[in-house]
Amino acid sequence: MRHLVSLTQYLVEQQRGKGKISGELRLLLEVVARACKRISLAVSKGALADVLGEAGTNNVQGEAQKKLDVIANETLLEANEWGGHLAAMASEEMEGVYSIPNRYPRGEHLLLFDPLDGSSNIDVNVSIGTIFSVLKMPEGVSEPTEAHFLQPGSRQLAAGYAVYGPSTLLVLTVGDGVAKFTLDRETGSWTKTADHVRIPHKTSEYAINASNARHWEPPVRRYIDELVAGAQGPLGKNYNMRWVASMVSDVHRILTRGGIFMYPRDNRDPGKAGRLRLMYEANPMAFLIEQAGGAATNGVQRMLDVQPTKLHERVAVFLGSKEEVERVTSYHQS
Ligand code: F6P
């Protein structure tokens, strides 16, 4: 019989066998996975459960919220607030820090999440996902504030995402490589279906929203011109482009078969350092990508070394196969 490893067994091994995570972090990750299961169920019911369409509200970024954005956010808050593993949570959908209510015990971790990434794809039945990241609360702090979340990505204890696609997958790192778990929708259990995921160093696939080309800065223009020039250009080979417009799905493809994902800053609004959020999107993905042997930068600096200055900070993102990320980063540096 095929020996199947469940998410629980994997986490117990990370705790007891490898000493990589504490018991508290193990339980926290199990709760996050359970919440993702609930979100997956809502996503898969779609119109049958009346979860499609606009919620009629705006989030902290001024973006119109979808019903599923709100449902996913509430599901994660409710699932995680009572377990005693957390001091506070922060969500891309909420302005400030969510402190654990006084009626529940508090733990030593901070949880950040983008409850439903790729919202523009919800109503068209294209893969979307949940991204999360876990930090440790600084020692000796009793009342968590935004300042306690502002830690560089290199301090993440765990990060991952769930992708709600033809299968529901959970992709996770606790700093011991990257493992993928597939949800059995009949039994409700997560089973490990890949471990020690590795991204090939070289690639010939890239992902960028090319409709923004006229706004890009010179290093990005130069790089994309070279990719588009293909075998006749300086890179001497043909490249293919893929753009799902759900970061989770684009990153998942790269973790599965290589590639480079880019969301550069551009010159539309010089006050914005990019479109994606450092703490909810870029940092967790950068941790996963590095753990799989790839690279992630903001164009000039390793992503995981960027010191956040605010919770909802935006950042330029270049991540994926090492050779290509290093190439586009070197164009920024020169
Ligand atoms: O941050 C949200 C997000 O939906 C990402 O998942 C995705 O990569 C990006 O925005 C898509 O943006 P665009 O509208 O430029 O395609």
Side-chain angles (χ1 to χ4, degrees), residues 1 34 67 109 165 245 319:
M1 211 175 86
R34 207 173 305 141
K67 285 185 194 167
H109 295 102
L319 58 78

Side-chain angles (χ1 to χ4, degrees), residues 298-316:
N298 64 356
V300 290
Q301 190 185 6
R302 179 183 176 227
M303 190 67 75
L304 296 182
D305 289 337
V306 174
Q307 173 61 50
T309 55
K310 55 181 193 229
L311 209 46
H312 294 287
E313 181 167 343
R314 295 175 192 255
V315 70

Side-chain angles (χ1 to χ4, degrees), residues 103-123:
R103 60 184 181 279
Y104 300 122
R106 282 200 181 159
E108 55 181 20
H109 295 102
L110 302 171
L111 177 67
L112 296 106
F113 48 83
D114 175 358
L116 211 65
D117 172 72
S119 329
S120 69
N121 282 321
I122 293 176
D123 293 342

Side-chain angles (χ1 to χ4, degrees), residues 177-255:
V178 175
K180 295 180 180 173
F181 302 85
T182 303
L183 179 65
D184 183 326
R185 288 176 176 150
E186 281 158 27
T187 61
S189 51
W190 295 103
T191 298
K192 190 173 79 173
T193 41
D195 204 349
H196 310 296
V197 171
R198 300 305 290 170
I199 302 177
H201 282 193
K202 292 175 189 293
T203 183
S204 48
E205 215 164 67
Y206 68 100
I208 192 164
N209 183 344
S211 68
N212 296 327
R214 68 193 182 285
H215 306 298
W216 292 337
E217 294 181 330
V220 177
R221 276 173 197 261
R222 172 184 168 193
Y223 178 60
I224 301 296
D225 284 349
E226 290 180 1
L227 298 183
V228 172
Q232 284 73 42
L235 304 182
K237 67 174 180 177
N238 293 325
Y239 285 78
N240 194 18
M241 198 194 89
R242 287 283 178 272
W243 180 249
V244 181
S246 294
M247 188 195 196
V248 163
S249 309
D250 282 310
V251 170
H252 187 67
R253 186 185 57 254
I254 288 167
L255 272 172

Side-chain angles (χ1 to χ4, degrees), residues 90-110:
S91 162
E92 194 188 288
E93 296 296 325
M94 298 186 310
E95 186 156 4
V97 163
Y98 181 92
S99 292
I100 297 301
N102 287 336
R103 60 184 181 279
Y104 300 122
R106 282 200 181 159
E108 55 181 20
H109 295 102
L110 302 171

